[in-house]
Amino acid sequence: AVLALETAVGGGGIALIAPGDPPISTPSEEGISRAENIIPNIESILDAAGIAPSEIGMIAVSLGPGSYTGLRIGLA
């Protein structure tokens, strides 16, 4: 599965793409790109898909343009 994070822009987003399943994504909301919300949002999307963290084979992050802090959140 691929976990994709967009944290460079306000609202941001998280998507999960797993072979054989339709993609799952979070609705854009202001809290997605905030550091204190990123882990709970990732856990929520993994739970919705029934996928364990160990099943993530790749993480894709946005490289901008966007806020420096937002980019650091996604890369960290």
Side-chain angles (χ1 to χ4, degrees):
V2 177
L3 179 66
L5 307 172
E6 169 56 86
T7 59
V9 297
I14 300 171
L16 182 69
I17 301 117
D21 293 330
I24 298 174
S25 63
T26 58
S28 182
E29 60 182 67
E30 193 59 36
I32 295 294
S33 62
R34 297 179 56 179
E36 63 269 18
N37 295 333
I38 193 82
I39 298 300
N41 283 313
I42 290 171
E43 290 172 343
S44 176
I45 203 167
L46 291 176
D47 287 344
I51 291 179
S54 61
E55 296 177 74
I56 301 297
M58 183 184 302
I59 298 175
V61 297
S62 169
L63 295 178
S67 76
Y68 177 69
T69 299
L71 292 171
R72 290 186 326 177
I73 291 168
L75 292 171

